[in-house]
Amino acid sequence: MNNVKSLNKWANAHTYFPVDLVRMALGVFLFWKGVTFITNIQYLVDLISPIDKIDGGMSGMLIVHYIASAHFLGGILIFFGLLTRWAIIAQLPILIGAVIINFMGEMHTQNLFLSLLTLGICIAFLIYGSGKHSADYYFKMQE
């Protein structure tokens, strides 16, 4: 717990508005991917087909619903800076899976680059936190 508090103190002392804009852009991107996956479920099923072949298709629909809802809700939470670290923890298995899928199935360099970039930004905000211009900071100051 002390590590999280010390990280928050450091992040709040070194907060810059452009960093918060990157967090907001990450939230918008994840929300947009969630909406894309919800509206075009077959596209998502085709994307995870290399993993679905491994487990025999038993958990395919569970994975599809987890990915779409985690991106949708996580994007909203990350945009507003509310429970940012928890939302990013929910994104990490999806993003790691997105990187792995590119090596298991057909290689799409654009998807690989996008998933690696998103994974890197998520890891940075997992360490950095939500910043000063966030709902977490606002609620902390209200205490």
Side-chain angles (χ1 to χ4, degrees):
M1 189 66 163
N2 285 335
N3 287 340
V4 173
K5 284 184 181 179
S6 64
L7 281 174
N8 281 338
K9 285 181 182 180
W10 179 86
N12 290 335
H14 298 89
T15 295
Y16 305 104
F17 195 66
V19 175
D20 290 331
L21 288 177
V22 171
R23 183 195 42 138
M24 291 174 173
L26 175 67
V28 168
F29 174 73
L30 290 173
F31 177 78
W32 172 72
K33 289 303 276 187
V35 169
T36 302
F37 290 151
I38 289 171
T39 57
N40 192 358
I41 208 81
Q42 187 59 42
Y43 174 68
L44 182 56
V45 169
D46 292 341
L47 278 176
I48 66 164
S49 63
I51 291 177
D52 201 31
K53 292 175 186 173
I54 292 173
D55 69 358
M58 298 297 286
S59 62
M61 276 305 173
L62 181 66
I63 292 172
V64 165
H65 285 87
Y66 172 70
I67 291 171
S69 61
H71 277 348
F72 186 78
L73 183 60
I76 294 171
L77 291 174
I78 292 169
F79 177 81
F80 288 110
L82 183 63
L83 302 172
T84 304
R85 287 191 174 107
W86 287 107
I88 288 176
I89 288 171
Q91 303 298 320
L92 289 180
I94 300 168
L95 296 171
I96 292 169
V99 171
I100 292 171
I101 283 175
N102 278 294
F103 292 109
M104 291 178 60
E106 186 177 330
M107 176 68 79
H108 296 282
T109 55
Q110 183 180 5
N111 288 348
L112 178 63
F113 175 72
L114 200 56
S115 58
L116 282 172
L117 181 67
T118 308
L119 179 63
I121 293 171
C122 280
I123 290 172
F125 279 109
L126 183 64
I127 295 167
Y128 182 77
S130 54
K132 220 178 227 183
H133 304 98
S134 66
D136 284 339
Y137 185 79
Y138 174 77
F139 291 133
K140 186 177 90 175
M141 291 295 117
Q142 295 300 317
E143 291 178 352

